Amino acid sequence: MRFICPFKSFLLLVVTLSLASGCGFYIRTTTLGTYLSSVNIDVAKSPALEKELKHAFSLNEVSVSDSESADLSIRLKDSNLQKSTSLVVPREGLLEYELILEVTFTLWFNGDKETVEDTSFTKAGRVRVHPNQLLSTSAEEQTVRTELIQGVVDDFVHELYLRLAREQETK
């Protein structure tokens, strides 16, 4: 059995850490909490979206506040779910439709409504309707709706993170 001497182990550790820091490893260890401490969320028109936003900010170490002077305030400006038929296979009786979720948020920083801006996100997903399993269709549609909401929130949080990181770099 071969043993690695302590010096070689130390050297291997130093090389690994220097490679990891050079490839942007530090970026993956930061969260929105690095740039924000509190967020005010007002999307009561969409309870599922509100729940997902609160969860995402909690995971990113940002506290949800009722104060309008929070570091970031988010309001739901518009939310639209469209349904369109995308595939029909008459012989097999299969129907597939697409759900498209479009969400527009209004946001501003540090309670300053002079900085108000809108940002929009769109996600799409497909639902298959099997004529012999109509009950499972509504469950599948609900699953797709949940995935669309999660996708919109993930995109919003990711874009916000990148924006705040860029702003921090320019300071």
Side-chain angles (χ1 to χ4, degrees):
M1 183 180 282
R2 275 182 85 178
F3 291 102
I4 299 175
C5 74
F7 178 73
K8 287 183 180 178
S9 295
F10 177 74
L11 186 60
L12 181 62
L13 177 66
V14 169
V15 169
T16 303
L17 289 176
S18 64
L19 287 173
S21 67
C23 72
F25 176 77
Y26 65 93
I27 291 174
R28 291 187 293 275
T29 61
T30 60
T31 65
L32 274 175
T34 305
Y35 309 108
L36 299 171
S37 61
S38 62
V39 63
N40 177 284
I41 300 172
D42 181 11
V43 293
K45 293 184 246 175
S46 176
L49 188 58
E50 180 178 37
K51 179 183 172 190
E52 196 61 37
L53 277 168
K54 286 180 177 180
H55 179 69
F57 280 105
S58 173
L59 288 176
N60 278 278
E61 302 169 2
V62 178
S63 67
V64 177
S65 168
D66 290 334
S67 171
E68 294 218 358
S69 62
D71 293 341
L72 172 66
S73 294
I74 303 168
R75 300 291 173 269
L76 180 61
K77 182 174 184 177
D78 189 33
S79 178
N80 184 18
L81 183 69
Q82 299 172 9
K83 191 185 278 192
S84 66
T85 304
S86 60
L87 173 69
V88 178
V89 182
R91 217 181 292 162
E92 296 175 22
L94 180 67
L95 170 74
E96 184 177 276
Y97 60 90
E98 187 172 51
L99 291 177
I100 303 167
L101 178 63
E102 297 174 2
V103 177
T104 301
F105 296 109
T106 298
L107 48 104
W108 63 91
F109 293 90
N110 302 316
D112 182 7
K113 291 192 177 182
E114 298 288 322
T115 63
V116 168
E117 62 184 76
D118 290 343
T119 183
S120 298
F121 299 89
T122 302
K123 282 289 183 188
R126 295 188 186 275
V127 178
R128 288 187 169 200
V129 179
H130 301 280
N132 301 334
Q133 302 169 344
L134 290 177
L135 290 178
S136 66
T137 300
S138 63
E140 184 176 344
E141 181 175 319
Q142 186 56 45
T143 299
V144 171
R145 286 176 184 238
T146 301
E147 290 170 354
L148 295 177
I149 289 170
Q150 290 170 342
V152 162
V153 169
D154 287 347
D155 288 354
F156 172 67
V157 168
H158 183 71
E159 185 175 293
L160 182 62
Y161 172 82
L162 291 175
R163 172 188 176 167
L164 295 171
R166 276 191 303 265
E167 287 176 4
Q168 184 70 28
E169 285 178 4
T170 59
K171 288 183 179 179

